[in-house]
Every structure is written in structure tokens, then in C-alpha cells.
Amino acid sequence: METHVMQTLQSGALYRNTIENLEAAGNLINLNPNVLERLKVPRRALVVSVPVRMDDDRVQMFTGYRVQHNQTLGPFKGGIRFHPHVNLSEVAALSALMTFKNSLLNLPLGGAKGGIQVDPSTLSKTELESLTRRFTSEIGPFIGPDKDIPAPDVGTDSQTMAWMLDTYSMESGYAQTGVVTGKPIEIGGSRGRDSATGLGVVYTIEKALQSKNMMISDANIAIQGFGKVGMHAAIEAYALGARIVAVSDVTGGIYNERGINIADLVSYVKENRFVKNFPGTAAISNEDLLELNVDVLAPCALDGVITEKNCECIKAKIVAEGANGPTNSVANKYLHEKGVLVVPDILANGGGVVVSYFEWVQDIVWLFWKEDEVRNKLREIMYRSFDKVWQFSQEKNKDMRISAMAVSLQRLETAMKLRGQAW
Ligand code: NAD
């Protein structure tokens, strides 16, 4: 591949980290070198300029991306991120993580990711809608219910998906509800999608605690990020009797060693937008939250928060990665050697794409499931995936990250060989 393209991809720590993990797991299972070569780079990367007429009539240009990593197992699938740090390298790394996640979870889907470099909080609703619609139009030829199915990620939500669905359907001339997942229930969304990623995180926390002979009802938990993943992880863990001692968002965190009433906090955040100043709690920084003496730490915000700089200060027994890429390779190695069980992103936060898959299936057959059905099927897949990774890690005496990657690669290798993609 062209050197400058490789240089761009490798410019980001998350991409380098993902390839390092891929190579380590590949070596562990003697992965076919041709399979490894193909998986190191995305299949297709689209960069688009998105003009938006702002409220003051000025035209502002934004840069958007859609990276399609691999479609051996099925159509490309992955979220859309609106964040100021979005760049080609990050989106490519996240698209590769989607390939590995979907393979690990045994879904018939490939991996993709997209995003726009923008701080959505600085745009009016009209500007945000224009941005989303124009972006959808630009990537339109490359997405579709049978080709590539976007979903929400950081800074996007079910409303974003509704605008994408509408734009894509307008341009097709008929309703294509299966083009995105994570959309509102009224227009083809699945029950249980909003809470799916957080619930999946909690199912893996339950399993991780079991491996240490602990129950979630006896555990105390700190959660970084109180968005779609962190808030629902808090709600679900709280409902199971866990003590949530700290949570945070971009403005900082709150702490109460006796536990925070999550139901009240959710109402508070609806009114006040952020968790800060929630009555009965003390302020804590995002950095200090990571170092609390808790049973479980769930980083559910952004990547690169647990590194060589702070890993020696992590006191949790279990780290459940709700976010993508929160722990880098150096920190992962250190924590594993110290006996901390790190449940890696492609396993811990897989609940979102599992229910996205359920949503996509429901849209194909136009038959919708009850929430209980969604939750039960999700639990089955999360428990089964955890068990597979746990068994591999025990047999090979390896950490959960390399084990998850190895289990995922075994399925991908078989599929690529069957399709004649590796010789
Ligand atoms: P979100 O935008 O709904 O929430 C992000 C949260 O993180 C917010 O509370 C925000 O205030 C906080 N945050 C942002 N910057 C921060 C910072 N610098 N320090 C501390 N907190 C900060 O996003 P989300 O959908 O909850 O995604 C969170 C993570 O989970 C991302 O890594 C995403 O890729 C991953 N993920 C999301 C899904 C999903 O279904 N939404 C699925 C799998 C993985």
C-alpha cells in the first residue's frame, strides 16, 4: 500500500494499538499470513467534504469519513461518530475493531465505521440536520441495507439515524428502514436498542465477577462516561443491586462511597444535561475516577484513557471496556500481570451491535420482537461469547484481549479461506 496512506493510518495510537493486538493474536494461533495482511488495512476508505449552510447563511465545510474494513462475514456494519477528534486513522481503527467484534459475536456482519470532525454541541438542530443529511447523501452510494449499515456512536443518536434513514429513502424513492440501526422504534427501531450496549457491558461484568467468585449485587462500580453506554450500564447494574460509587461525563465526575441513586441521577441529567453538582455527591475528576478502589471500573467514554501513565494507579479488580480502545497495549499487559481482569472492548461493548443485528433482521421481515425477547437473546450471546473467550484464555494462559482477538480471527480465517480470499 502507498506509503503516505499507511503513514496516515498509522498516525493514530488507536490504529497502531489495534494492529499490534491483531499481530499478537495472529502469531498466537499461527494465523495464515495472507489473512493477517488483508486484515491490517481497510478495504475501502471514503473521505467526503460536507458543505452546510449555517444559521447565519455562511457556508461551512466539514470533513466526513466512512471506512469499510472487511465484509467477509456479511454487509459492513458500524457506528457514526460526531466528535472534534474524528480523523481517518481513528475511524479506520474503529472499523477494524467492528470486524473483530462482529466475528467474535458470531454475527453475519463485516466491519465499518464513520464520522464527521465536528463538535455537535456547537451546532443548532437545523445545522445538525443539514450536516447529517448532506453527509448521508455523500456516502449514499456506498451504504444500504445489503451493503453497509450505520448506527449511532459518540455524539450521534436515534434522531441522527432517523435523518439518515429519511435522506437515504428520499434518494432511493422508497422507504428503506434497514439502512441504519439504532433508529426510533416508531420508524423500524428495535425495542431494547437504547440500553443494549450498556446491558451487554453489565452481562460481561456479571461473568467477570463470577470468575472471581463475586456477585454483582455485592460489587461496587465506577463508570466513566454517562452517555448512551455509561448511563445504561449504570441503570442496569444498579437494577441488579450493584453500588455505583462514581460516574462522570465530559465536565467531570461525582462520587459517593455509599452509592449513587441512579434513577434519581437519570432524572437530574435530563434536566441539567451533566452529572456535576448532583445532590449528595462529591466532585471527582475523570482521572481520579479511574483510580478509585472499586471492584469494577467501566470506562465508557473515549479511547486511550488507561495508559502507561496511570495503569500503576488502577485499583479495580475488573476493567470492563464499555468504550472502544480505552486501554492501550502497555497498560493492558501491566494490568493482566497484576491480576486485573480486563474485559476487552470487542467483547464488553458488543451488546450494541448484537441488538443492531436484531434490529436489521426485524426490518428485513417487518416483524418486531418484545423487549424481553431482545434482552434474553442478547444475554445468551453475551454469556456465550464471554465463555468462549474465557475458555481460550484459561487454556492458553493468555489475557482476555488477545484471547478475544484470537477467537475472532479463527472464525474470520475459516471464512476467508472458504471464500478464496486467502491462499
Ligand atoms: P455518547 O456520546 O452517548 O456518550 C459519551 C459520554 O462520554 C458522555 O457522557 C460524554 O460527556 C463523555 N465524555 C466525552 N468526552 C469525555 C472526556 N474527555 N472525558 C470523560 N468523559 C467524556 O457516546 P456513547 O455512544 O456512549 O459511546 C461511548 C463509547 O462507547 C465510545 O468509545 C463508543 O465508540 C463506544 N461504543 C458505543 C456503542 C453504542 O451503541 N453507542 C457501542 C459500542 C461501543
Side-chain angles (χ1 to χ4, degrees), residues 252-403:
I254 54 173
Y255 173 70
N256 182 338
E257 65 174 341
R258 292 190 307 280
I260 298 166
N261 183 320
I262 297 299
D264 289 351
L265 178 62
V266 170
S267 312
Y268 177 86
V269 169
K270 267 195 192 127
E271 268 180 35
N272 300 279
R273 217 170 138 211
F274 300 112
V275 299
K276 67 180 176 192
N277 300 329
F278 179 60
T281 60
I284 186 171
S285 69
N286 262 298
E287 293 73 32
D288 289 346
L289 178 144
L290 297 171
E291 298 174 11
L292 285 172
N293 189 4
V294 286
D295 298 312
V296 183
L297 171 65
C300 297
L302 293 179
D303 57 84
V305 293
I306 305 177
T307 65
E308 52 279 12
K309 291 194 187 118
N310 62 353
C311 62
E312 289 180 22
C313 304
I314 303 291
K315 299 179 197 72
K317 300 181 183 74
I318 292 164
V319 174
E321 295 186 335
N324 283 311
T327 316
N328 77 6
S329 310
V330 181
N332 185 69
K333 185 167 181 288
Y334 176 85
L335 292 174
H336 176 63
E337 282 165 7
K338 201 172 119 181
V340 179
L341 179 58
V342 180
V343 187
D345 44 12
I346 62 169
L347 174 60
N349 69 34
V353 72
V354 169
V355 177
S356 271
Y357 163 62
F358 295 164
E359 181 175 330
W360 180 64
V361 169
Q362 292 170 77
D363 288 335
I364 290 171
V365 293
W366 295 98
L367 193 64
F368 292 89
W369 308 347
K370 294 197 175 96
E371 183 152 356
D372 270 0
E373 199 175 344
V374 170
R375 290 172 73 97
N376 290 340
K377 285 187 159 86
L378 171 63
R379 188 177 53 228
E380 193 184 318
I381 293 181
M382 296 308 293
Y383 281 1
R384 191 177 57 216
S385 305
F386 184 97
D387 288 343
K388 248 197 247 172
V389 176
W390 176 255
Q391 198 183 338
F392 185 99
S393 81
Q394 296 301 296
E395 279 170 17
K396 306 272 182 202
N397 193 22
K398 293 288 174 189
D399 68 57
M400 290 286 277
R401 185 179 314 281
I402 197 169
S403 303

Side-chain angles (χ1 to χ4, degrees), residues 81 153-155 193 197 226-229 249-250 286 300-301 322-324:
R81 180 176 287 199
D153 191 71
V154 176
R193 175 61 183 88
T197 312
F226 204 66
K228 292 182 291 297
V229 181
D249 57 34
V250 67
N286 262 298
C300 297
N324 283 311

Side-chain angles (χ1 to χ4, degrees), residues 178-198:
V179 66
V180 288
T181 58
K183 55 194 171 283
I185 289 176
E186 293 79 357
I187 50 174
S190 175
R191 291 184 198 289
R193 175 61 183 88
D194 284 353
S195 54
T197 312

